[in-house]
Amino acid sequence: MVLTSRGLSRRLIWIFLFTSLAMPLIWLVYLAYSNQLGADPAKELVDELGQWAIRFLILTLCASTFSRRFNIKFLLQHRRMLGLYALLYAVLHLLAVSTFILGWRVDLLIRELTDRPYIMLGMAGLLLLIPLGITSTKGWQKKLGRKWTTLHKLIYPAAMLALLHLVLLIRASILEAIIYALLISLLLIERLFRKRKPKKR
Amino acid sequence: MLIGKSSKILSSEITSESAYLSRRSLLKGLGLVAGATSMPSYALTQPKSSDLPLYPGPDWLRPKLESAKTTWSLDEELTPYDSVITYNNFYEFGLNKEDPYERAQNFKTDPWQVEILGEVERPGIYNLEDLLAKVDIEERIYRFRCVEAWSMVIPWLGFSLASLIKQLNPTSNAKYVEFVTLEDPEQMPGQRSLFSTIDWPYREGLRIDEAMHPLTLLAVGVYGQAMPPQNGAPLRLVVPWKYGFKSIKSIVQIRFRETMPQNTWRLTASQEYGFYANVNPTVDHPRWSQATERRLPSSLFNPRIIETQMFNGYEEVAPLYAGMDLSKWY
C-alpha cells in the first residue's frame, strides 16, 4: 500500500485517537496494579468503567452531530472507533462487576439479573450495543445499505438505558447524572430538528 | 535494697536509658510504635507502621484512652488503620470515600458540647469532657457492615451508651433516643453542595432498649488513639448489628423522646432505608443484594466476598426483635 501524505496524516490521527481513547483504561489498570484504587478497588473500577462507557457513548453521538452541523468530516471518519470504545468500556464494566463484585457466583449473578431493575436496564443497553459493534465494519455497512443507518439508531435507546441505569444508582448526588442527561437530551433533540427540516421544504 | 532505707521504686525496676531506647527501637522496628507521637498503652490495638497521621486527641482524653481495657475481641483479621481512616462515608465532607480524609483534617472537635434534651431528668448542654467524666473507656473490636455491602473489622475505643443513659436518668416516657450531627457548612463542605439530596443536619435514632443494649457503643477513639475527624470525632455512635449509617458521627444532640424519630436515610429514600436497619442477609436493598459483603481492604483478584450474617453475627440482639417481621421493619 502506498501511503500518500494525506493517508499518512490520517493514519497518524487514527493512532493518536486510538491511544488516547485507551488512556482511561490504561490509567485504571495502572491504578489497580499499583494498589491506588483505595480500600474497595472493585467498586472504584466498576464505577469508572461504567462512567467511561457513558462518556464514550456521548462522544459517539457528538461525532455525528458535529460532523453534520459544522461539516467536520474527520469526526465522522472516526465515529466507529468511538462507538467501539464505548462498547469495550461497557463490556469491561460488566466483566468487572461479574468478576470483582460477584466473584462469578452464578446464584448471585442470576438474582442480580432478575431482581434489579437498574441491572436489567444497563444490561439491555449493553445488549443493544452488541449488534452495532458487530455490524460496524465497512463490509456490513455495504451489505445492509440503508438498513444499516436504521439499525444504528439503536444507539439512542442504548444511551437512554445507560443513563437510566446510572440515575437508578444515585445515592446522594445528582450532579453527574444531570450533566450526562443534559448532554444526551441536547444531542437527541438536535436530531429531531435535523429530521424535520427536509419535510417542511 | 539496703536495710532501713525504704525506696518506693526499686533500683532494679528502673530501666536504663539505653535499654529503654533499644527496646523502643525494637518496637519501632516491629511496627508497634507508629510515628514519633507517644502512644497509649501497648495493650491496645495499635496501627501498624503507617505514613498517615495519628490522632493523639485532647489532653483531657488521653489518660482515659490509655487506661482502656479490651473488653470485646473478635477472632477476625483487623482492617488496617490506613483503610479505616481513609475509606469513610461522611457525606458532610463529600460523597467520595476519600473526601472525609482529605477534607476533614482541620475539623475542630475540641472543645465540644453535646446538648441533652427531651424526656430526661438532667437536660442541658454538657462539655464532652464532663459527659465522659464518669465513664470508663473500653476497647471493643466490632464488625462494621455498611449498607453498601462492604465491611470492616474495627478496634473502637468508647463506652456503652447505657452507662451514659443511666447517668442522665431518662423519664418513663423516653421510648426512643434521637441523635443529631453537627450542622456547620463552614467546616463541612458537603453541607454546602447544591446537588445533594440530603436534608442537613444528619439525624439517627434508636429504640430505648436498643440504646440500652450492652453492645451499643459511644465511641471516642479508634486504633488506640482519639477518633480521627473523618471517622466522626469527637463522639460517634457504633451499633454493630445495624448497617453503618445508623452509627451517626460527630454528635451534638441527644434527645430522649416518646415517638419514633426520623432518620436521615429514611427521609431521603424511605423505601430503601428504614428505621431499624438491622444487618439482614435475607432482606435485600431494593437495588442490590445484602446476602454477601466485601471485607475490606479487598483486592481485585481476592475480592474477599463473605456471607453476611444475621445481625452482623451479633445474634444476642435477636430477642429485641422477637415477633417482628424484619422484612417489613427493615
Side-chain angles (χ1 to χ4, degrees), chain A residues 25-36:
Chain A
L25 179 61
I26 294 169
W27 180 240
L28 283 171
V29 170
Y30 164 73
L31 288 180
Y33 180 75
S34 59
N35 237 334
Q36 291 182 66

Side-chain angles (χ1 to χ4, degrees), chain B residues 22-305:
Chain B
S22 68
R23 196 158 67 200
R24 194 167 165 82
S25 65
L26 178 68
L27 289 171
K28 226 174 196 166
L30 291 169
L32 292 171
V33 183
T37 333
S38 80
M39 294 298 297
S41 109
Y42 293 112
L44 296 176
T45 309
Q46 299 294 321
K48 294 249 169 63
S49 65
S50 163
D51 298 330
L52 300 183
L54 295 164
Y55 303 88
D59 288 339
W60 63 264
L61 182 64
R62 235 168 290 169
K64 290 185 86 79
L65 297 178
E66 278 168 29
S67 59
K69 296 265 171 353
T70 308
T71 58
W72 212 285
S73 206
L74 266 184
D75 198 17
E76 282 171 49
E77 192 190 332
L78 286 175
T79 302
Y81 178 67
D82 290 14
S83 298
V84 170
I85 71 159
T86 58
Y87 191 87
N88 308 101
N89 273 333
F90 197 174
Y91 283 8
E92 281 81 344
F93 291 98
L95 301 170
N96 296 317
K97 298 287 188 280
E98 67 280 6
D99 285 344
Y101 170 70
E102 284 167 6
R103 298 181 184 170
Q105 296 310 314
N106 296 321
F107 179 42
K108 203 164 175 287
T109 57
D110 182 70
W112 188 269
Q113 290 182 320
V114 182
E115 188 178 12
I116 310 285
L117 62 174
E119 300 287 344
V120 63
E121 258 180 37
R122 298 177 55 201
I125 296 174
Y126 293 81
N127 288 320
L128 183 61
E129 188 178 352
D130 302 331
L131 214 53
L132 265 60
K134 284 186 201 159
V135 299
D136 291 324
I137 306 293
E138 304 163 25
E139 179 178 70
R140 297 194 189 181
I141 299 171
Y142 279 165
R143 288 178 215 101
F144 184 90
R145 168 64 156 81
C146 179
V147 74
E148 296 166 346
W150 53 266
S151 66
M152 296 187 178
V153 178
I154 303 175
W156 301 106
L157 288 163
F159 52 97
S160 75
L161 174 59
S163 66
L164 178 71
I165 291 178
K166 278 175 201 153
Q167 284 179 46
L168 296 170
N169 245 343
T171 70
S172 57
N173 288 333
K175 305 279 196 320
Y176 294 91
V177 192
E178 180 182 21
F179 305 85
V180 182
T181 296
L182 177 72
E183 182 174 18
D184 185 354
E186 295 243 312
Q187 289 201 83
M188 297 173 145
Q191 292 180 340
R192 303 196 294 264
S193 166
L194 297 172
F195 298 98
S196 166
T197 54
I198 292 175
D199 189 16
W200 307 109
Y202 194 88
R203 47 187 74 243
E204 258 310 331
L206 293 174
R207 224 168 52 191
I208 192 79
D209 56 345
E210 297 176 319
M212 292 297 290
H213 194 278
L215 277 172
T216 306
L217 192 72
L218 273 177
V220 293
V222 70
Y223 260 107
Q225 52 171 353
M227 192 68 76
Q230 63 272 27
N231 294 79
L235 182 72
R236 65 167 292 170
L237 191 66
V238 178
V239 194
W241 72 90
K242 291 177 181 284
Y243 291 122
F245 69 85
K246 293 296 288 183
S247 294
I248 183 171
K249 301 186 174 90
S250 303
I251 298 167
V252 292
Q253 207 181 81
I254 301 176
R255 184 194 296 267
F256 293 85
R257 11 183 325 153
E258 189 159 17
T259 53
M260 184 186 278
Q262 269 295 357
N263 49 319
T264 293
W265 279 107
R266 187 157 59 116
L267 283 166
T268 308
S270 61
Q271 70 288 358
E272 303 191 353
Y273 310 100
F275 173 79
Y276 286 96
N278 293 319
V279 175
N280 189 341
T282 64
V283 177
D284 283 349
H285 184 281
R287 291 184 275 160
W288 57 83
S289 163
Q290 297 291 24
T292 60
E293 63 200 51
R294 278 162 301 126
R295 179 57 59 80
L296 303 189
S298 67
S299 64
L300 290 179
F301 294 102
N302 181 16
R304 302 218 285 175
I305 298 163

Side-chain angles (χ1 to χ4, degrees), chain A residues 124-178:
Chain A
L126 176 52
L127 287 177
L128 290 185
L129 288 180
I130 288 172
L132 305 195
I134 293 169
T135 59
S136 65
T137 58
K138 285 216 171 87
W140 273 102
Q141 211 163 348
K142 276 197 191 125
K143 208 186 284 179
L144 290 171
R146 294 187 68 183
K147 279 186 204 148
W148 187 91
T149 320
T150 318
L151 176 68
H152 279 246
K153 285 190 174 131
L154 282 178
I155 193 174
Y156 309 149
M160 287 188 273
L161 286 166
L163 183 67
L164 270 175
H165 169 71
L166 179 85
V167 167
L168 285 176
L169 276 164
I170 290 174
R171 270 203 85 195
S173 174
I174 49 178
L175 181 59
E176 278 156 352
I178 286 180

